[in-house]
Amino acid sequence: EIDNEIIKLLDKRFDVAKAIGEEKKKISKQVLDQSREQAILDKVDKLSSDEHSKYIQEIYKKIMEQSREYQGK
């Protein structure tokens, strides 16, 4: 059940990443936005429990890395 929800949310996130990537191409903006990614990681840190924060941040780093790759297609 949880895995199904995670997959649905990741699918949705990648759809949004694709749309953002297309807009960035139109305005010749780089795919990587380090300040935006850091803001997301800061939010993850605040929302996750201290016990899990380190692991969830690593997962988010990978999600953002893959999102950038997908946006660059």
Side-chain angles (χ1 to χ4, degrees), residues 2-19:
I2 291 173
D3 289 328
N4 292 344
E5 289 300 312
I6 290 170
I7 290 166
K8 286 178 188 176
L9 290 170
L10 285 171
D11 274 340
K12 191 173 186 177
R13 192 180 201 289
F14 276 89
D15 288 342
V16 170
K18 179 77 167 180

Side-chain angles (χ1 to χ4, degrees), residues 11-62:
D11 274 340
K12 191 173 186 177
R13 192 180 201 289
F14 276 89
D15 288 342
V16 170
K18 179 77 167 180
I20 291 170
E22 290 169 359
E23 290 302 313
K24 285 180 178 179
K25 285 179 186 175
K26 287 179 188 176
I27 61 172
S28 300
K29 186 174 181 183
Q30 287 186 321
V31 171
L32 176 59
D33 183 345
Q34 289 179 329
S35 62
R36 174 72 178 132
E37 289 192 8
Q38 187 57 54
I40 292 169
L41 290 174
D42 291 344
K43 182 179 177 180
V44 167
D45 186 48
K46 289 177 186 170
L47 293 175
S48 57
S49 69
D50 290 341
E51 182 180 358
H52 302 139
S53 181
K54 175 177 111 175
Y55 305 103
I56 295 171
Q57 282 200 16
E58 289 303 314
I59 291 167
Y60 260 82
K61 286 177 186 176
K62 192 64 174 178

Side-chain angles (χ1 to χ4, degrees), residues 61-73:
K61 286 177 186 176
K62 192 64 174 178
I63 290 169
M64 290 186 292
E65 176 188 318
Q66 293 301 303
S67 293
R68 286 192 310 271
E69 184 177 324
Y70 189 60
Q71 283 181 359
K73 284 181 145 187

